[in-house]
Amino acid sequence: MTTTRVFHTVPAAVLLALVVVLTGVGAFTGTARADSTRARTTTATATATAAASFPVPAAHRAVAPSQPAPEPTDVVQTYFSVINDRDFVAAWAIGGRQHIAGRSYDAFVASFNTVSKFDVTIVSVQGNKVAVELDATQTDNSHRHYAGTYTVVDGVIVAADIHPK
């Protein structure tokens, strides 16, 4: 059975980052959903054939490595988009497992139990480091604010330095 999700049109690099990372680690089994502030809505089903033309982290590359990696800002925005969609498998693949070393997937998912939504603001980008400010809306509608950096390599978040503001 194939499930099709609707997503808003996003820059190609954002969609590519999501599809590539999921396909590259073997977690992708159907369609991907990503949101953007763009108004036009499109339905898409990502397939292994489509993924073959996208950049994949070097450790998982199945195609020519000459493809450029997605922009670090696109990776961070996609990461929070899939978290907001409660797609924790995608978030884990995009960087959850790398930047919370020592924690299991279940602990990663549980860390979002009290968060209903993240609003992310990109403050600056220096090479592969993306400085962000996060507004985490809690399930009780209160807010917690965070700031810090995410380090992105080959379309994957490999480190995070995030602290409460």
Short mmCIF file of all heavy atoms in Angstrom, two decimals, residues 51-96:
data_model
loop_
_atom_site.label_atom_id
_atom_site.label_comp_id
_atom_site.label_asym_id
_atom_site.label_seq_id
_atom_site.Cartn_x
_atom_site.Cartn_y
_atom_site.Cartn_z
N ALA A 51 15.33 9.58 -6.42
CA ALA A 51 16.41 9.78 -5.46
C ALA A 51 17.78 9.58 -6.10
O ALA A 51 18.76 10.13 -5.63
CB ALA A 51 16.25 8.83 -4.27
N ALA A 52 17.85 8.79 -7.16
CA ALA A 52 19.13 8.51 -7.79
C ALA A 52 19.78 9.76 -8.36
O ALA A 52 20.99 9.80 -8.52
CB ALA A 52 18.96 7.47 -8.90
N SER A 53 19.00 10.82 -8.64
CA SER A 53 19.58 12.03 -9.20
C SER A 53 19.89 13.08 -8.15
O SER A 53 20.30 14.17 -8.47
CB SER A 53 18.63 12.62 -10.25
OG SER A 53 17.42 13.02 -9.63
N PHE A 54 19.70 12.77 -6.87
CA PHE A 54 19.92 13.72 -5.81
C PHE A 54 21.22 13.43 -5.09
O PHE A 54 21.67 12.30 -5.02
CB PHE A 54 18.77 13.70 -4.80
CG PHE A 54 17.42 13.98 -5.42
CD1 PHE A 54 16.35 13.16 -5.15
CD2 PHE A 54 17.25 15.04 -6.28
CE1 PHE A 54 15.12 13.42 -5.71
CE2 PHE A 54 16.02 15.30 -6.84
CZ PHE A 54 14.96 14.50 -6.55
N PRO A 55 21.81 14.47 -4.44
CA PRO A 55 23.04 14.23 -3.68
C PRO A 55 22.76 13.42 -2.42
O PRO A 55 21.76 13.60 -1.76
CB PRO A 55 23.52 15.64 -3.33
CG PRO A 55 22.28 16.47 -3.35
CD PRO A 55 21.40 15.86 -4.40
N VAL A 56 23.67 12.52 -2.10
CA VAL A 56 23.55 11.66 -0.93
C VAL A 56 24.82 11.83 -0.11
O VAL A 56 25.90 11.98 -0.68
CB VAL A 56 23.40 10.18 -1.36
CG1 VAL A 56 23.35 9.26 -0.17
CG2 VAL A 56 22.16 10.01 -2.22
N PRO A 57 24.73 11.83 1.22
CA PRO A 57 25.95 11.91 2.01
C PRO A 57 26.96 10.86 1.52
O PRO A 57 26.59 9.76 1.15
CB PRO A 57 25.47 11.60 3.43
CG PRO A 57 24.04 12.05 3.43
CD PRO A 57 23.54 11.73 2.04
N ALA A 58 28.24 11.21 1.55
CA ALA A 58 29.28 10.38 0.96
C ALA A 58 29.23 8.93 1.41
O ALA A 58 29.47 8.02 0.63
CB ALA A 58 30.65 10.98 1.26
N ALA A 59 28.91 8.69 2.66
CA ALA A 59 28.88 7.32 3.19
C ALA A 59 27.76 6.48 2.57
O ALA A 59 27.79 5.27 2.62
CB ALA A 59 28.72 7.34 4.70
N HIS A 60 26.78 7.13 1.97
CA HIS A 60 25.63 6.42 1.43
C HIS A 60 25.46 6.65 -0.07
O HIS A 60 24.42 6.33 -0.62
CB HIS A 60 24.35 6.88 2.14
CG HIS A 60 24.41 6.71 3.61
ND1 HIS A 60 24.36 5.48 4.22
CD2 HIS A 60 24.56 7.62 4.59
CE1 HIS A 60 24.46 5.64 5.52
NE2 HIS A 60 24.59 6.93 5.78
N ARG A 61 26.44 7.22 -0.72
CA ARG A 61 26.32 7.60 -2.11
C ARG A 61 26.15 6.40 -3.04
O ARG A 61 26.94 5.48 -3.00
CB ARG A 61 27.55 8.38 -2.52
CG ARG A 61 27.22 9.62 -3.28
CD ARG A 61 28.45 10.41 -3.60
NE ARG A 61 28.81 11.37 -2.59
CZ ARG A 61 28.27 12.56 -2.48
NH1 ARG A 61 27.34 12.93 -3.31
NH2 ARG A 61 28.67 13.40 -1.55
N ALA A 62 25.10 6.45 -3.86
CA ALA A 62 24.86 5.41 -4.84
C ALA A 62 24.99 5.96 -6.26
O ALA A 62 24.87 5.24 -7.21
CB ALA A 62 23.47 4.82 -4.65
N VAL A 63 25.19 7.28 -6.38
CA VAL A 63 25.31 7.93 -7.68
C VAL A 63 26.58 8.77 -7.69
O VAL A 63 27.29 8.86 -6.70
CB VAL A 63 24.08 8.82 -7.98
CG1 VAL A 63 22.83 7.99 -8.09
CG2 VAL A 63 23.90 9.90 -6.93
N ALA A 64 26.82 9.41 -8.79
CA ALA A 64 28.02 10.22 -8.96
C ALA A 64 28.14 11.26 -7.85
O ALA A 64 27.20 11.97 -7.56
CB ALA A 64 27.99 10.91 -10.31
N PRO A 65 29.30 11.37 -7.21
CA PRO A 65 29.48 12.30 -6.11
C PRO A 65 29.62 13.76 -6.53
O PRO A 65 29.81 14.62 -5.70
CB PRO A 65 30.77 11.82 -5.43
CG PRO A 65 31.52 11.14 -6.51
CD PRO A 65 30.47 10.54 -7.42
N SER A 66 29.50 14.08 -7.81
CA SER A 66 29.69 15.45 -8.27
C SER A 66 28.48 16.33 -7.99
O SER A 66 28.53 17.53 -8.20
CB SER A 66 30.00 15.46 -9.77
OG SER A 66 28.90 14.92 -10.48
N GLN A 67 27.39 15.77 -7.51
CA GLN A 67 26.20 16.54 -7.17
C GLN A 67 26.50 17.39 -5.93
O GLN A 67 27.08 16.90 -4.97
CB GLN A 67 25.03 15.60 -6.86
CG GLN A 67 24.66 14.69 -7.99
CD GLN A 67 23.68 15.34 -8.94
OE1 GLN A 67 23.09 16.35 -8.63
NE2 GLN A 67 23.51 14.75 -10.10
N PRO A 68 26.06 18.66 -5.93
CA PRO A 68 26.29 19.48 -4.74
C PRO A 68 25.37 19.07 -3.59
O PRO A 68 24.24 18.63 -3.81
CB PRO A 68 25.96 20.89 -5.22
CG PRO A 68 24.99 20.68 -6.35
CD PRO A 68 25.40 19.39 -7.01
N ALA A 69 25.85 19.21 -2.37
CA ALA A 69 25.03 18.92 -1.19
C ALA A 69 24.02 20.05 -1.01
O ALA A 69 24.25 21.17 -1.45
CB ALA A 69 25.91 18.81 0.04
N PRO A 70 22.89 19.77 -0.37
CA PRO A 70 21.91 20.83 -0.10
C PRO A 70 22.52 21.92 0.78
O PRO A 70 23.45 21.67 1.55
CB PRO A 70 20.79 20.10 0.66
CG PRO A 70 21.04 18.66 0.48
CD PRO A 70 22.48 18.48 0.15
N GLU A 71 21.99 23.11 0.67
CA GLU A 71 22.44 24.22 1.49
C GLU A 71 22.19 23.91 2.97
O GLU A 71 21.13 23.38 3.30
CB GLU A 71 21.72 25.51 1.10
CG GLU A 71 22.08 26.03 -0.27
CD GLU A 71 23.55 26.46 -0.35
OE1 GLU A 71 24.06 27.07 0.61
OE2 GLU A 71 24.18 26.16 -1.37
N PRO A 72 23.11 24.25 3.84
CA PRO A 72 22.91 23.99 5.28
C PRO A 72 21.61 24.58 5.83
O PRO A 72 20.94 23.96 6.64
CB PRO A 72 24.14 24.64 5.92
CG PRO A 72 25.20 24.54 4.86
CD PRO A 72 24.45 24.77 3.58
N THR A 73 21.24 25.77 5.39
CA THR A 73 19.99 26.37 5.88
C THR A 73 18.78 25.54 5.48
O THR A 73 17.85 25.38 6.28
CB THR A 73 19.80 27.81 5.36
OG1 THR A 73 19.88 27.80 3.94
CG2 THR A 73 20.84 28.75 5.93
N ASP A 74 18.80 24.98 4.28
CA ASP A 74 17.69 24.15 3.82
C ASP A 74 17.58 22.88 4.65
O ASP A 74 16.49 22.41 4.97
CB ASP A 74 17.85 23.78 2.34
CG ASP A 74 17.70 24.99 1.42
OD1 ASP A 74 17.08 25.98 1.84
OD2 ASP A 74 18.22 24.93 0.29
N VAL A 75 18.72 22.32 5.03
CA VAL A 75 18.73 21.10 5.84
C VAL A 75 18.11 21.39 7.22
O VAL A 75 17.26 20.64 7.70
CB VAL A 75 20.15 20.52 5.98
CG1 VAL A 75 20.18 19.36 6.95
CG2 VAL A 75 20.69 20.11 4.61
N VAL A 76 18.53 22.50 7.85
CA VAL A 76 18.01 22.85 9.17
C VAL A 76 16.50 23.13 9.09
O VAL A 76 15.73 22.66 9.93
CB VAL A 76 18.78 24.04 9.77
CG1 VAL A 76 18.11 24.56 11.04
CG2 VAL A 76 20.22 23.64 10.05
N GLN A 77 16.07 23.86 8.08
CA GLN A 77 14.64 24.15 7.94
C GLN A 77 13.85 22.87 7.71
O GLN A 77 12.76 22.69 8.26
CB GLN A 77 14.41 25.17 6.82
CG GLN A 77 14.88 26.55 7.21
CD GLN A 77 14.84 27.54 6.08
OE1 GLN A 77 14.97 27.19 4.90
NE2 GLN A 77 14.66 28.81 6.42
N THR A 78 14.37 21.97 6.90
CA THR A 78 13.70 20.69 6.66
C THR A 78 13.62 19.87 7.93
O THR A 78 12.59 19.25 8.23
CB THR A 78 14.42 19.90 5.55
OG1 THR A 78 14.39 20.66 4.35
CG2 THR A 78 13.76 18.55 5.32
N TYR A 79 14.70 19.88 8.71
CA TYR A 79 14.73 19.16 9.98
C TYR A 79 13.56 19.59 10.87
O TYR A 79 12.81 18.75 11.38
CB TYR A 79 16.08 19.43 10.64
CG TYR A 79 16.25 18.81 12.01
CD1 TYR A 79 16.41 17.44 12.15
CD2 TYR A 79 16.30 19.61 13.14
CE1 TYR A 79 16.60 16.87 13.41
CE2 TYR A 79 16.50 19.05 14.40
CZ TYR A 79 16.64 17.69 14.52
OH TYR A 79 16.83 17.13 15.77
N PHE A 80 13.37 20.88 11.03
CA PHE A 80 12.28 21.35 11.89
C PHE A 80 10.92 21.17 11.24
O PHE A 80 9.92 20.94 11.92
CB PHE A 80 12.52 22.79 12.34
CG PHE A 80 13.55 22.84 13.43
CD1 PHE A 80 14.85 23.20 13.15
CD2 PHE A 80 13.23 22.45 14.72
CE1 PHE A 80 15.82 23.21 14.14
CE2 PHE A 80 14.19 22.45 15.72
CZ PHE A 80 15.48 22.83 15.43
N SER A 81 10.86 21.22 9.93
CA SER A 81 9.60 20.96 9.25
C SER A 81 9.11 19.54 9.51
O SER A 81 7.95 19.32 9.83
CB SER A 81 9.76 21.19 7.74
OG SER A 81 8.57 20.89 7.07
N VAL A 82 10.02 18.56 9.41
CA VAL A 82 9.61 17.18 9.63
C VAL A 82 9.33 16.91 11.11
O VAL A 82 8.46 16.11 11.44
CB VAL A 82 10.60 16.14 9.03
CG1 VAL A 82 10.66 16.29 7.51
CG2 VAL A 82 11.97 16.22 9.65
N ILE A 83 10.04 17.60 12.00
CA ILE A 83 9.71 17.47 13.43
C ILE A 83 8.31 18.02 13.68
O ILE A 83 7.49 17.39 14.36
CB ILE A 83 10.75 18.19 14.32
CG1 ILE A 83 12.06 17.40 14.34
CG2 ILE A 83 10.21 18.39 15.74
CD1 ILE A 83 13.21 18.11 15.03
N ASN A 84 8.01 19.18 13.11
CA ASN A 84 6.67 19.76 13.28
C ASN A 84 5.59 18.86 12.71
O ASN A 84 4.46 18.83 13.21
CB ASN A 84 6.59 21.15 12.66
CG ASN A 84 7.31 22.19 13.48
OD1 ASN A 84 7.58 22.01 14.67
ND2 ASN A 84 7.66 23.30 12.85
N ASP A 85 5.94 18.09 11.69
CA ASP A 85 4.99 17.13 11.09
C ASP A 85 4.96 15.81 11.87
O ASP A 85 4.24 14.89 11.48
CB ASP A 85 5.39 16.82 9.64
CG ASP A 85 5.10 17.98 8.71
OD1 ASP A 85 4.33 18.88 9.09
OD2 ASP A 85 5.66 17.98 7.59
N ARG A 86 5.76 15.72 12.93
CA ARG A 86 5.87 14.52 13.76
C ARG A 86 6.44 13.33 12.98
O ARG A 86 6.20 12.18 13.29
CB ARG A 86 4.55 14.11 14.41
CG ARG A 86 3.78 15.24 15.09
CD ARG A 86 4.62 16.10 15.94
NE ARG A 86 4.62 15.70 17.36
CZ ARG A 86 5.27 16.39 18.28
NH1 ARG A 86 5.94 17.46 17.95
NH2 ARG A 86 5.25 16.01 19.53
N ASP A 87 7.24 13.63 11.97
CA ASP A 87 7.92 12.60 11.19
C ASP A 87 9.31 12.40 11.78
O ASP A 87 10.32 12.87 11.27
CB ASP A 87 8.00 13.02 9.72
CG ASP A 87 8.55 11.92 8.82
OD1 ASP A 87 9.02 10.87 9.34
OD2 ASP A 87 8.51 12.11 7.59
N PHE A 88 9.35 11.70 12.91
CA PHE A 88 10.58 11.56 13.67
C PHE A 88 11.60 10.65 12.99
O PHE A 88 12.80 10.79 13.22
CB PHE A 88 10.29 11.12 15.09
CG PHE A 88 9.45 12.12 15.84
CD1 PHE A 88 8.19 11.80 16.28
CD2 PHE A 88 9.92 13.41 16.05
CE1 PHE A 88 7.41 12.73 16.96
CE2 PHE A 88 9.16 14.35 16.72
CZ PHE A 88 7.90 14.02 17.18
N VAL A 89 11.15 9.74 12.15
CA VAL A 89 12.10 8.90 11.39
C VAL A 89 12.92 9.80 10.46
O VAL A 89 14.14 9.68 10.38
CB VAL A 89 11.36 7.79 10.61
CG1 VAL A 89 12.30 7.09 9.64
CG2 VAL A 89 10.72 6.81 11.56
N ALA A 90 12.23 10.71 9.78
CA ALA A 90 12.94 11.63 8.89
C ALA A 90 13.87 12.54 9.68
O ALA A 90 15.01 12.76 9.29
CB ALA A 90 11.95 12.46 8.08
N ALA A 91 13.40 13.07 10.80
CA ALA A 91 14.23 13.96 11.62
C ALA A 91 15.45 13.23 12.16
O ALA A 91 16.55 13.79 12.18
CB ALA A 91 13.40 14.54 12.77
N TRP A 92 15.27 11.99 12.57
CA TRP A 92 16.39 11.17 13.06
C TRP A 92 17.43 11.00 11.95
O TRP A 92 18.64 11.12 12.18
CB TRP A 92 15.83 9.83 13.52
CG TRP A 92 16.83 8.87 14.09
CD1 TRP A 92 17.29 7.74 13.48
CD2 TRP A 92 17.44 8.90 15.39
NE1 TRP A 92 18.16 7.07 14.32
CE2 TRP A 92 18.27 7.76 15.51
CE3 TRP A 92 17.37 9.77 16.46
CZ2 TRP A 92 19.01 7.48 16.63
CZ3 TRP A 92 18.11 9.49 17.59
CH2 TRP A 92 18.92 8.36 17.67
N ALA A 93 16.95 10.74 10.73
CA ALA A 93 17.86 10.53 9.60
C ALA A 93 18.57 11.82 9.20
O ALA A 93 19.75 11.79 8.84
CB ALA A 93 17.09 9.96 8.41
N ILE A 94 17.88 12.95 9.27
CA ILE A 94 18.47 14.23 8.85
C ILE A 94 19.53 14.70 9.85
O ILE A 94 20.42 15.43 9.50
CB ILE A 94 17.38 15.30 8.67
CG1 ILE A 94 16.51 14.95 7.47
CG2 ILE A 94 17.97 16.70 8.49
CD1 ILE A 94 15.26 15.80 7.35
N GLY A 95 19.43 14.26 11.08
CA GLY A 95 20.45 14.69 12.01
C GLY A 95 20.20 14.36 13.46
O GLY A 95 21.07 14.58 14.29
N GLY A 96 19.04 13.87 13.79
CA GLY A 96 18.73 13.57 15.18
C GLY A 96 19.71 12.61 15.81
O GLY A 96 20.16 12.80 16.93
#
